[in-house]
Amino acid sequence: PARWREEAERGDLSVLQFGDTDANLAITGLQIFQGRFQEARAARANVVVQNFSHQPGHGVLTVRLGDVPVMRTGFSIPARDVRAFAVPGFPGPGRVVAELEGQVDGDDALAADNRALGWVRPLAATRVLLVSAATPLVDELETVARATAGLQLATVTPDAYDPEAAAHADVVIFHRFVPPASPVAPSLYVDPPGHNPLFAVAGEVHGVEVLDWNDQHPAVGALRPLTALPIQRARVILPAEWQEPLLLSRTREREFPLAFAGELHGHRLACIAFDLEGERLLSSDNVNFLLFFLNLVSWLAPPSSDVTTVTTGTVLPLAGLPPVAVTATDPRGREHDLGDGRHATLDVLSAGEYRIHADGVTRAVSVQ
C-alpha cells in the first residue's frame, strides 16, 4: 500500500505533531533604533507581527514606555503573512513593552509570544579629549561636537598633553601624535607619525582606495565606506596581534589596513592610518567617513546602562560586576547561580526580563 511505501521511504524518521491548531499571532521582532549620540526622543521602534495560521488574524498591538501608552492600533493580517509596525517616537528613556491582543478564528494557541521588551537609553555625555596642533581638523571636530548631542570635546596641543588629566576622558583622540607612555583611556590615533612607540609604520602610500571592510565590527556595521575619490595619503602599518582590521586597501606588494581596532593594556584602541584632515571630514563626498568616525568613538566608549537587550539563544558575558557570587532571576521567577562576577555569563533561554544580582548591584536583561 502507498502508506507502507511512504513509511519505508521515511526510514527511521518519526513525525510528532505538537499542539492541535496553528492559530497563532506572534510578535517575532522588536527593534529599537537609537544612535549612540541620539536623545531618547529621537529613538524609533519597529514591531513585527506574524500570522502563523492558515486563516486571517485580527488583533490590537499596544506599545508602552513604562506605563505610558505610545501607540495602540488594530490590524488584520492575511494567512501566513507578516506585518511591520513603525513606532514613531518616545517621550523619554525607559523600558519599552509591546503587547499583542489578537486571535485567529476566535483562538490564540500560544500566548508566550504576545509580549516583547526593549529599552530606550537616556543620553549620556561622552567626554572626548582631542590632542592636536591647531589644524583644520580641530575646527571640523568642534563643528561635529556642536551638532552632536552628548558629545563634549576639549582640545589640547601635544606639548600640553597630561596623562593624568587624559585619564578622566571617555575617549582620547591623538592627531599626528603618539605619546610615549601606555594608553590611559580608550584612544583613537589618527595619522600616527612614522616613528612612534605603538605602531610599526612601514611607509606611506598615495592615492589608495577602500577596497574592503569588516562589516562584522560595530564601528563599520551597515556602512559601505567606499569613497568617490582616492585617499590622498595613508600610512602602511604592520599588523600586530591585538589589531582587527576595519577598512582595507592594498599595494602591489601587500594588503594593509586603513583602519583597525582592538584592546591593549586594558583599554580599547583604534587607529585611522590616514589623515582625516586631508579627506575633509565634513565634505559631502565623505559622509561615510564621518559616520565611521562617530561609530569608532561610540565603540571606544560604549554607553553604560543598567539594561541590556538581547535575543533568545544568546550567551551573554556579564562584565563590570563585583568579584562575588552572581545570581539571576529568569522571567518565570526562578533563581540561577551564575558563579563569580569576574567570569559570569548568562545563558539566555527564555523571552522576558532577567534580573542580575551581585552584592547590591542589580541589572536587567531584556530578552526578545
Side-chain angles (χ1 to χ4, degrees), residues 269-291:
L269 305 182
C271 177
I272 297 176
F274 54 91
D275 197 350
L276 291 175
E277 177 186 318
E279 304 309 318
R280 296 186 59 203
L281 193 63
L282 298 183
S283 167
S284 59
D285 293 330
N286 288 333
V287 171
N288 275 333
F289 276 163
L290 175 59
L291 296 177

Side-chain angles (χ1 to χ4, degrees), residues 158-170:
D159 292 340
Y161 172 69
D162 178 6
E164 292 187 7
H168 297 288
D170 296 310

Side-chain angles (χ1 to χ4, degrees), residues 250-262:
R250 67 173 300 110
T251 64
R252 189 173 298 176
E253 294 78 21
R254 63 160 68 95
E255 184 178 71
F256 67 97
L258 289 166
F260 53 85

Side-chain angles (χ1 to χ4, degrees), residues 12-291:
D12 295 333
L13 179 66
S14 298
V15 179
L16 301 176
Q17 180 175 326
F18 178 78
D20 299 320
T21 176
D22 64 357
N24 183 40
L25 286 170
I27 297 176
T28 56
L30 168 59
Q31 188 172 9
I32 307 294
F33 299 94
Q34 183 184 12
R36 171 67 176 84
F37 303 106
Q38 280 188 310
E39 296 179 348
R41 291 179 178 273
R44 301 291 183 267
N46 188 62
V47 184
V48 178
V49 179
Q50 185 167 351
N51 181 9
F52 289 92
S53 172
H54 66 286
Q55 298 288 338
H58 314 279
V60 175
L61 175 67
T62 302
V63 179
R64 301 192 311 273
L65 181 74
D67 296 326
V68 179
V70 176
M71 185 186 80
R72 182 173 174 84
T73 183
F75 63 84
S76 295
I77 302 179
R80 311 291 189 190
D81 207 349
V82 178
R83 184 173 171 186
F85 298 85
V87 184
F90 297 91
R95 188 173 78 155
V96 178
V97 181
E99 289 186 314
L100 185 64
E101 305 166 42
Q103 58 185 13
V104 179
D105 196 21
D107 192 15
D108 183 14
L110 186 63
D113 53 17
N114 290 350
R115 190 169 186 261
L117 303 176
W119 180 254
V120 175
R121 301 187 316 271
L123 179 65
T126 302
R127 297 163 299 176
V128 176
L129 175 65
L130 173 61
V131 184
S132 173
T135 68
L137 181 62
V138 174
D139 298 332
E140 288 195 321
L141 292 184
E142 288 177 345
T143 300
V144 171
R146 286 193 296 269
T148 305
L151 188 60
Q152 298 178 356
L153 181 68
T155 304
V156 298
T157 63
D159 292 340
Y161 172 69
D162 178 6
E164 292 187 7
H168 297 288
D170 296 310
V171 176
V172 182
I173 301 175
F174 297 101
H175 178 222
R176 300 179 189 163
F177 170 66
V178 178
S182 298
V184 295
S187 302
L188 171 60
Y189 300 85
V190 178
D191 192 25
H195 299 284
N196 70 81
L198 188 57
F199 306 108
V201 179
E204 292 185 358
V205 289
H206 298 265
V208 295
E209 298 179 4
V210 178
L211 299 179
D212 199 4
W213 49 88
N214 179 2
D215 58 7
Q216 300 303 308
H217 195 281
V220 182
L223 292 177
R224 292 294 178 264
L226 295 176
T227 56
L229 298 173
I231 293 171
Q232 297 180 41
R233 177 188 55 78
R235 310 279 189 186
V236 177
I237 297 176
L238 300 180
E241 185 177 349
W242 62 271
Q243 299 171 5
E244 180 181 1
L246 303 180
L247 307 180
L248 291 160
S249 188
R250 67 173 300 110
T251 64
R252 189 173 298 176
E253 294 78 21
R254 63 160 68 95
E255 184 178 71
F256 67 97
L258 289 166
F260 53 85
E263 187 169 327
L264 186 67
H265 304 310
H267 295 293
R268 287 185 172 187
L269 305 182
C271 177
I272 297 176
F274 54 91
D275 197 350
L276 291 175
E277 177 186 318
E279 304 309 318
R280 296 186 59 203
L281 193 63
L282 298 183
S283 167
S284 59
D285 293 330
N286 288 333
V287 171
N288 275 333
F289 276 163
L290 175 59
L291 296 177

